[in-house]
């Protein structure tokens, strides 16, 4: 039956191993076929070459290996069982069969996607798989560029690297003109000048890239260039800032640190009462950046916040950045859709606000998406994409020992990471070719994870009157605390800690816990108001439940496990009596 005719339950049953290994027999045969291909291929290669004869050691070696392999496999059964829907702790669940088989098939050949020379087929699969993701995300599949990374952290760093490359070009040109032609330097305006003005100035002054390198902080000595920026602008150069919402993943702070921007350069955009990027606060930070002459290296918006699953108003942000662009202020717009990128395929499960926000992803300069989260591929598989080739351009690094004609005359390395496996690309490719990245395939399963989250909340509220969920929840992550009317937040937080510890001790369910702080003040205030409590502390601790597991599509699984979870919560909170 084609995916379009299948229900989410059937898709989950058909495209995943099964929580109890229901597809074991079929997977055995599919994996054997993969191995057969691999061995046939090897046998067919240079069949007349000499091979080592039988050795007496072979049997003994195999015995040792088999014994140790058995020990390894047994020890791995002690791993966290993330395949079961009872695991709702983090953004991880079962891996799909196409992803696993695609990953294994490619992994056996071990291609290194650092160059086409080292990976003839793997690099082609990568191009095709990136085009599949690009189409789903709203980019043009032939104009978008991108590559697979080890994960969302590396993909986010790819974005910082490219945004810095772009701003460095614009500032280098402005410094060059200031020093050689006496043109007035306005660091804020010039750092956002746009490629059109850059090209016009470069052409009219007959400048070239080699010359501009002498004015580049990225290519030359940054301290030297910064001092010259001070002199030319008659002000103190304080470096660029990154604007990211308080929900931004900690990899952004890491990136600010690693790229030498300094962690202080990460300015946190406050959240609105719904836990999403607050557009007014963004406006405030843009004004502040302008006042302090600190160019905005990039804005980051999040589609699927790590802690809460919220989806920022990407459409409003995009519209505002377009207005600024019309005023000559070109600001890089990155969407961290590491978690929520695949929701693009989920169709009508979302309200109009969320649908409009997701629909704006295709206008971003760059995107992060993690197939190893809601794409159900094995680790380590993230992806970084840009809308077009110009945004993909980055600092040039020649690798004299690699033949890479595909990268053009310069043979530049265009990825942060060096050696890169093609296995993730193959996993995505096979998923795209079978389950599909649309509303009839993967999207159907993801829509059910959102519905499962809604049903979970309704069931828990039904059984536990004092359950207070963070609302609205945009996707498939539910966060809650247990609070009696009028209770101070500090008391509620202590109960949440105790409940988390109790669930953690029980073998039945795995949940996680998160803490929202100062930057989420509006969200925290709205949450505390749900039980008319007092916010005697600024931090809110929540139980966090992440519904990524595909088997939540099955109505019987939901009915049975949600009630069981609610009963567990009830039992635990009875032990720590709530005030009447
Ligand atoms: C929104 C977001 N961005 C980036 C990351 C980092 O991804 P990774 O752990 O694959 O590096 C995460 C991880 O949870 C995330 O949720």
């Amino acid at each position: 039956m084609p995916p379009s005719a299948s229900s989410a339950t059937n898709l989950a049953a058909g495209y995943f191993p099964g929580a109890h290994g229901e597809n074991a027999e079929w997977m055995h045969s599919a994996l054997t076929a993969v191995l057969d291909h691999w061995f046939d291929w090897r046998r067919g290669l240079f069949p007349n070459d000499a091979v080592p004869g039988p050795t007496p050691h072979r049997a003994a070696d195999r015995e040792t290996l088999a014994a140790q392999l058995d020990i390894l496999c047994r020890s791995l059964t002690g791993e966290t069982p993330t395949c079961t829907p009872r695991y709702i702790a983090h953004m991880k669940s079962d891996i799909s069969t196409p992803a696993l088989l695609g990953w294994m098939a490619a992994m056996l050949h071990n291609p290194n996607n650092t160059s086409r020379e080292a990976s003839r087929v793997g690099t082609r699969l990568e191009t095709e798989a990136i085009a599949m993701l690009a189409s789903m995300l709203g980019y043009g599949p032939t104009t978008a560029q991108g590559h697979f990374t080890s994960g969302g952290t590396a993909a986010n760093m790819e974005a910082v690297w490219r945004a810095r490359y772009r701003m460095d070009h614009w500032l280098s040109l402005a410094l060059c003109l200031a020093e050689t032609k006496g043109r007035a330097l306005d660091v804020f305006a010039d750092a956002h000048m746009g490629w059109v003005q850059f090209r016009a100035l470069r052409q009219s002054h007959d400048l070239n890239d080699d010359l501009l390198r002498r004015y580049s902080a990225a290519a030359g000595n940054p301290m030297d260039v910064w001092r010259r920026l001070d002199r030319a602008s008659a002000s103190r150069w304080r470096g660029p800032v990154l604007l990211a919402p308080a929900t931004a993943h900690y990899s952004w702070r890491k990136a600010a640190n690693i790229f030498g921007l300094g962690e202080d350069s990460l300015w946190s955009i406050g959240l609105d009462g719904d836990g999403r990027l607050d557009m007014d606060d963004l406006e405030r930070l843009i004004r502040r950046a302008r006042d302090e002459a600190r160019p905005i290296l990039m804005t980051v918006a999040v589609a699927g916040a790590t802690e809460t699953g919220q989806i920022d108003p990407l459409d409003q942000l995009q519209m505002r950045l377009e207005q600024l662009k019309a005023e000559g202020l070109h600001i890089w717009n990155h969407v961290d859709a590491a978690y929520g990128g695949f929701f693009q395929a989920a169709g009508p499960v979302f309200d109009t606000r969320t649908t409009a926000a997701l629909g704006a992803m295709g206008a971003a300069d760059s995107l992060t998406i993690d197939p190893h989260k809601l794409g159900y591929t094995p680790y380590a598989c993230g992806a970084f994409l840009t809308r077009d080739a110009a945004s993909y351009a980055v600092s040039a690094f020649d690798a004299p020992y690699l033949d890479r004609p595909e990268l053009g005359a310069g043979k530049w390395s265009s990825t942060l990471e060096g050696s890169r496996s093609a296995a993730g690309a193959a996993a995505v490719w096979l998923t795209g070719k079978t389950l599909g990245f649309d509303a009839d395939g993967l999207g159907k399963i993801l829509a059910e994870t959102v519905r499962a989250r809604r049903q979970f909340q309704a069931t828990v509220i039904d059984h536990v009157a004092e359950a207070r969920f963070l609302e609205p929840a945009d996707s498939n992550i539910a966060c809650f605390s247990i609070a009696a009317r009028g209770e101070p937040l500090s008391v509620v937080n202590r109960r949440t800690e105790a409940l988390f510890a109790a669930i953690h001790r029980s073998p039945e369910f795995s949940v996680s816990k998160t803490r929202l702080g100062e930057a989420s003040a509006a969200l925290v205030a709205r949450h505390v108001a749900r039980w008319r409590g007092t916010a005697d502390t600024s931090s809110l601790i929540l139980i966090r439940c992440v519904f990524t597991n595909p088997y939540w599509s099955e109505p019987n699984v939901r009915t049975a496990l949600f009630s069981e979870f609610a009963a567990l919560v009830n039992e635990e909170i009875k032990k720590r009596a709530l005030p009447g």
Side-chain angles (χ1 to χ4, degrees):
M1 198 194 295
S4 60
S6 299
S7 67
T9 311
N10 288 343
L11 289 173
Y15 284 93
F16 286 82
H20 296 103
E22 291 81 356
N23 286 324
E25 203 179 316
W26 180 80
M27 281 193 72
H28 270 289
S29 64
L31 276 171
T32 304
V34 169
L35 277 172
D36 285 347
H37 271 290
W38 190 54
F39 281 119
D40 286 348
W41 172 73
R42 299 168 81 102
R43 267 184 223 112
L45 287 173
F46 314 111
N48 300 325
D49 282 2
V51 292
T55 123
H57 292 297
R58 197 170 276 175
D61 290 348
R62 278 187 190 156
E63 232 169 75
T64 312
L65 177 55
Q68 291 302 321
L69 182 60
D70 188 56
I71 291 172
L72 176 66
C73 291
R74 278 174 202 273
S75 78
L76 284 167
T77 59
E79 257 311 341
T80 311
T82 53
C83 54
T84 161
R86 286 173 182 273
Y87 181 86
I88 44 175
H90 294 288
M91 299 166 157
K92 182 176 188 295
S93 63
D94 214 357
I95 40 185
S96 75
T97 43
L100 181 66
L101 293 169
W103 192 93
M104 297 277 287
M107 188 269 292
L108 290 174
H109 292 265
N110 202 22
N112 180 351
N113 273 10
T114 192
S115 76
R116 265 186 222 164
E117 181 203 12
S119 169
R120 272 185 254 165
V121 180
T123 46
R124 180 173 56 73
L125 291 174
E126 176 164 34
T127 306
E128 292 178 19
I130 287 290
M132 290 177 189
L133 293 180
S135 294
M136 178 191 72
L137 292 164
Y139 277 164
T142 53
T143 45
Q145 302 278 311
H147 61 268
F148 287 91
T149 64
S150 62
T153 300
N156 287 344
M157 290 193 191
E158 293 280 6
V160 177
W161 195 24
R162 281 156 171 88
R164 193 186 62 175
Y165 171 86
R166 187 176 90 161
M167 187 175 278
D168 182 67
H169 268 69
W170 299 347
L171 267 180
S172 302
L173 178 95
L175 180 61
C176 171
L177 293 180
E179 288 188 349
T180 60
K181 313 278 178 192
R183 178 181 178 271
L185 175 66
D186 176 337
V187 283
F188 191 81
D190 288 334
H192 300 108
M193 72 168 65
W195 285 121
V196 171
Q197 194 188 353
F198 173 88
R199 283 192 206 101
L201 285 170
R202 193 170 69 161
Q203 199 176 359
S204 64
H205 293 280
D206 198 22
L207 306 172
N208 60 46
D209 276 353
D210 280 343
L211 176 77
L212 289 182
R213 284 177 75 84
R214 290 188 223 151
Y215 302 85
S216 158
N221 180 330
M223 314 283 185
D224 177 41
V225 171
W226 296 339
R227 274 193 289 269
R228 287 156 60 197
L229 282 173
D230 284 354
R231 260 199 309 275
S233 65
S235 62
R236 195 160 64 85
W237 168 246
R238 299 178 60 204
V241 292
L242 274 96
L243 307 186
T247 42
H249 186 257
Y250 70 91
S251 51
W252 291 102
R253 189 161 301 283
K254 221 191 238 184
N257 179 314
I258 290 173
F259 279 89
L261 303 164
E263 290 179 34
D264 278 359
S265 69
L266 184 67
W267 286 6
S268 184
I269 310 168
L271 305 180
D272 64 17
D274 292 339
R276 309 182 192 112
L277 178 155
D278 183 64
M279 289 299 293
D280 291 336
D281 202 48
L282 170 75
E283 216 52 61
R284 178 184 69 81
L285 292 178
I286 294 174
R287 270 196 309 276
R288 182 179 153 202
R290 203 193 289 262
D291 290 348
E292 296 183 14
R294 298 195 67 178
I296 299 166
L297 185 64
M298 63 201 305
T299 59
V300 177
V302 186
T306 316
E307 284 153 307
T308 58
Q310 294 305 79
I311 292 163
D312 283 336
L314 309 179
D315 49 336
Q316 291 176 41
L317 173 67
Q318 180 59 32
M319 215 150 58
R320 180 63 185 127
L321 294 180
E322 287 297 335
Q323 281 170 356
L324 291 170
K325 199 183 281 182
E327 296 164 19
L329 212 62
H330 295 247
I331 299 175
W332 189 286
N333 172 16
H334 180 81
V335 177
D336 183 350
Y339 187 61
F342 286 100
F343 284 136
Q344 210 37 318
V349 70
F350 295 115
D351 60 17
T352 47
R353 189 216 70 87
T354 308
T355 306
L358 290 172
M361 265 193 229
D365 291 300
S366 57
L367 294 167
T368 289
I369 182 167
D370 268 353
H372 66 206
K373 293 189 168 76
L374 288 175
Y376 301 102
T377 70
Y379 292 115
C381 185
F384 170 73
L385 288 93
T386 61
R387 197 184 47 221
D388 51 30
S391 313
Y392 195 61
V394 78
S395 301
F397 293 95
D398 201 356
Y401 60 94
L402 284 177
D403 189 24
R404 291 193 280 197
E406 71 270 20
L407 297 175
K411 293 197 237 170
W412 311 124
S413 166
S414 53
T415 60
L416 258 180
E417 293 163 277
S419 295
R420 292 182 308 112
S421 166
V428 170
W429 186 91
L430 197 56
T431 308
K433 290 283 182 189
T434 52
L435 181 55
F437 298 124
D438 54 28
D440 292 324
L442 178 67
K444 220 177 239 180
I445 292 172
L446 295 184
E448 282 313 307
T449 66
V450 177
R451 292 193 183 99
R453 192 271 305 156
R454 289 176 189 154
Q455 190 179 332
F456 169 79
Q457 285 192 205
T459 310
V460 174
I461 290 169
D462 245 14
H463 290 69
V464 188
E466 301 85 2
R468 318 289 176 174
F469 279 86
L470 211 57
E471 298 258 29
D474 289 343
S475 58
N476 57 12
I477 299 180
C479 293
F480 70 95
S481 29
I482 306 288
R485 202 180 161 89
E487 271 189 326
L489 180 55
S490 58
V491 173
V492 175
N493 281 345
R494 277 202 293 280
R495 182 178 299 115
T496 306
E497 296 267 23
L499 178 60
F500 172 74
I503 299 174
H504 199 65
R505 274 195 306 274
S506 88
E508 270 77 34
F509 292 94
S510 294
V511 297
S512 50
K513 176 184 71 164
T514 193
R515 182 187 293 267
L516 303 179
E518 297 275 351
S520 310
L523 180 64
V524 174
R526 185 174 292 183
H527 190 60
V528 174
R530 283 193 182 104
W531 67 87
R532 311 238 163 112
T534 45
D536 58 341
T537 166
S538 55
S539 78
L540 164 66
I541 302 172
L542 293 154
I543 302 283
R544 172 174 170 266
C545 306
V546 187
F547 290 90
T548 59
N549 194 291
Y551 310 124
W552 285 119
S553 301
E554 171 56 49
N556 295 333
V557 172
R558 292 189 205 176
T559 314
L561 294 188
F562 290 167
S563 303
E564 193 182 319
F565 182 88
L568 175 67
V569 172
N570 250 334
E571 200 180 304
E572 288 304 327
I573 60 173
K574 261 191 226 131
K575 289 183 197 159
R576 327 191 88 248
L578 280 163

